Amino acid sequence: MTTATDTPEPDWYIYRGAGQPHDGIGRLPAPPPWRDFDGEPGDTVVPPLGTESTRRLGGRSGRGIAWRPEQLELINAALYLRRPLLVTGDPGSGKSTLAHALAHELGLGRVLQWPIVSRTTLRDGLYTYDAIARLQDTQMAKVRGVARTGAHPPVQLPPPTEDIGDYLRLGPLGTALLPYERPRVLLVDELDKSDIDLPNDLLNALEEGEFRIAELQRIAGRQTDVEVLTDDDERAVVKGGRVRCKAFPIVVMTSNGERDFPAPLLRRCLHLDLPSPRNDAWGRDRLDAMVAAHFGENGAEVAVRNGELIRTFLDSAPGSLRAADQLLNAIYLTQEAVRDREPDRQRLAELLMRPLDHGEHGPGGGPR
């Protein structure tokens, strides 16, 4: 039977959404002149896809996500234009999963994840410098030197500081902007949770593809190349205190729609909206694929066996807020706890799939 995902795939697509790894990133043409960056490539190691991605994708192997054609077009447009994707939608609509699916299908290694909270600053994403640890190590070196000299102090003490690179660590955004030959995938998760200034603060780094480390610029005259830690726990060489990308990272910024963003940021992004699945061909295909991916080798069978439960989830409370995680929880619990007792199974499923935004009780289970 033909499904909503069986439409022909345009030959310009780099990301196909099929869930099968391929070398399509090598077919990506040169960037537009205004998005071309000239960072000098290094030999920094890119770790393989992490367990956080395999968990998010449910061990997906050869199983894609049921994207609408216009959604795939926007995703691929962002790849061609080297522009960030601002992905909006309800909780559980698959916003964060997109970053992991891109890294998996295009073979781009570990996803760099930057979770945003109200106290997050741009500096948190770029790098951290542990000045206190450096001072403590310096003082301990002096103490050891004095202890060795005993009553005869005229002995050469150790240098006052260790290598400054030992106290610098690039954050997720800073690591993504290293001059890799192939783009890294950066997930900026829940940007709408940020302080009001962060979206504007991001503009320069995302537009220029670079940033500077003040602590390294101050010593650039006597030490040009400094090796620092990355968010991957690897080492990278920073030259002259400046980090500049070569391949602009694939940036996925997610938002639950809790606030509006400034026009300058919106102008520099492509906006992809992922509404909650509806009871149509695309909605059913999307949930079938999600269930199949998360239940391992027998996932396709689980999706078929729970078709009625999926339809109930799609039909319940139109217009209300529901998360796909609720459906996964309901399927797992009903098939493990009350598999053969249909009345109990239905009652438990309805309890777990109640809308999050209204009802007799709030999401915490007590009266509102």
Side-chain angles (χ1 to χ4, degrees):
M1 183 178 69
T2 302
T3 69
T5 56
D6 289 334
T7 53
E9 175 193 302
D11 57 8
W12 66 277
Y13 280 6
I14 301 298
Y15 173 68
R16 303 166 186 161
Q20 193 68 254
H22 58 82
D23 60 356
I25 197 69
R27 296 190 293 106
L28 193 64
W34 56 92
R35 299 296 293 163
D36 195 8
F37 302 97
D38 58 0
E40 183 180 337
D43 56 0
T44 306
V45 174
V46 178
L49 202 70
T51 55
E52 64 275 11
S53 293
T54 54
R55 283 198 306 269
R56 175 75 66 168
L57 297 171
R60 188 185 304 274
S61 176
R63 301 187 184 101
I65 299 173
W67 298 106
R68 293 180 181 272
E70 63 271 18
Q71 293 171 340
L72 273 176
E73 287 173 347
L74 272 171
I75 295 168
N76 281 280
L79 298 180
Y80 274 75
L81 297 172
R82 276 66 168 185
R83 288 292 184 184
L85 267 171
L86 177 60
V87 187
T88 57
D90 294 333
S93 58
K95 302 183 298 297
S96 301
T97 301
L98 171 58
H100 298 279
L102 282 162
H104 168 68
E105 183 171 316
L106 300 180
L108 298 177
R110 173 180 175 263
V111 175
L112 296 161
Q113 300 185 81
W114 186 17
I116 304 299
V117 298
S118 60
R119 301 177 303 279
T120 302
T121 66
L122 177 63
R123 172 75 175 263
D124 297 328
L126 293 177
Y127 73 96
T128 56
Y129 171 55
D130 196 340
I132 294 177
R134 190 181 185 201
L135 177 61
Q136 290 173 337
D137 288 350
T138 300
Q139 292 171 336
M140 288 299 298
K142 290 181 178 179
V143 169
R144 288 194 300 268
V146 170
R148 283 198 301 269
T149 60
H152 306 285
V155 172
Q156 183 74 32
L157 291 177
T161 59
E162 302 290 337
D163 183 357
I164 190 174
D166 292 338
Y167 306 95
L168 280 161
R169 183 185 183 92
L170 300 183
L173 175 57
T175 301
L177 291 175
L178 285 169
Y180 297 104
E181 288 283 3
R182 287 155 43 108
R184 295 296 301 273
V185 178
L186 170 66
L187 172 61
V188 184
D189 209 11
E190 298 194 332
L191 183 59
D192 50 345
K193 298 284 196 299
S194 72
D195 176 84
I196 192 170
D197 292 326
L198 182 60
N200 278 322
D201 293 343
L202 275 170
L203 290 178
N204 189 64
L206 295 179
E207 193 64 19
E208 301 302 326
E210 69 174 27
F211 67 98
R212 298 175 188 274
I213 300 175
E215 293 80 2
L216 297 187
Q217 287 190 301
R218 283 197 291 269
I219 66 168
R222 62 181 185 273
Q223 187 178 357
T224 302
D225 296 357
V226 177
E227 198 174 60
V228 302
L229 279 169
T230 72
D231 188 70
D232 299 315
D233 291 326
E234 302 290 345
R235 289 280 184 172
V237 174
V238 176
K239 298 179 180 293
R242 176 173 173 257
V243 175
R244 181 169 174 81
C245 72
K246 178 173 176 61
F248 188 77
I250 298 172
V251 182
V252 177
M253 300 187 295
T254 72
S255 167
N256 292 326
E258 296 181 4
R259 61 180 282 193
D260 294 327
F261 294 111
L265 178 70
L266 297 176
R267 192 169 66 244
R268 289 167 171 83
C269 300
L270 274 68
H271 180 203
L272 173 64
D273 186 52
L274 295 182
S276 296
R278 298 187 299 272
N279 194 2
D280 56 17
W282 289 101
R284 290 190 294 274
D285 282 354
R286 190 173 184 84
L287 289 181
D288 283 347
M290 181 194 67
V291 171
H294 280 80
F295 282 88
E297 294 181 358
N298 299 320
E301 179 185 341
V302 171
V304 171
R305 192 166 61 242
N306 288 277
E308 186 61 35
L309 200 57
I310 293 173
R311 286 189 290 274
T312 299
F313 177 79
L314 290 169
D315 285 336
S316 63
S320 62
L321 178 61
R322 292 162 296 132
D325 290 345
Q326 294 174 276
L327 173 62
L328 293 175
N329 291 337
I331 290 176
Y332 175 81
L333 191 58
T334 55
Q335 74 175 13
E336 295 297 331
V338 289
R339 181 195 301 266
D340 300 322
R341 300 193 296 275
E342 186 58 33
D344 290 340
R345 191 172 186 270
Q346 187 65 28
R347 179 179 54 78
L348 188 56
E350 290 176 357
L351 180 68
L352 293 175
M353 296 192 303
R354 289 184 306 180
L356 300 174
D357 54 354
H358 69 277
E360 293 182 0
H361 301 284
R368 293 215 239 192

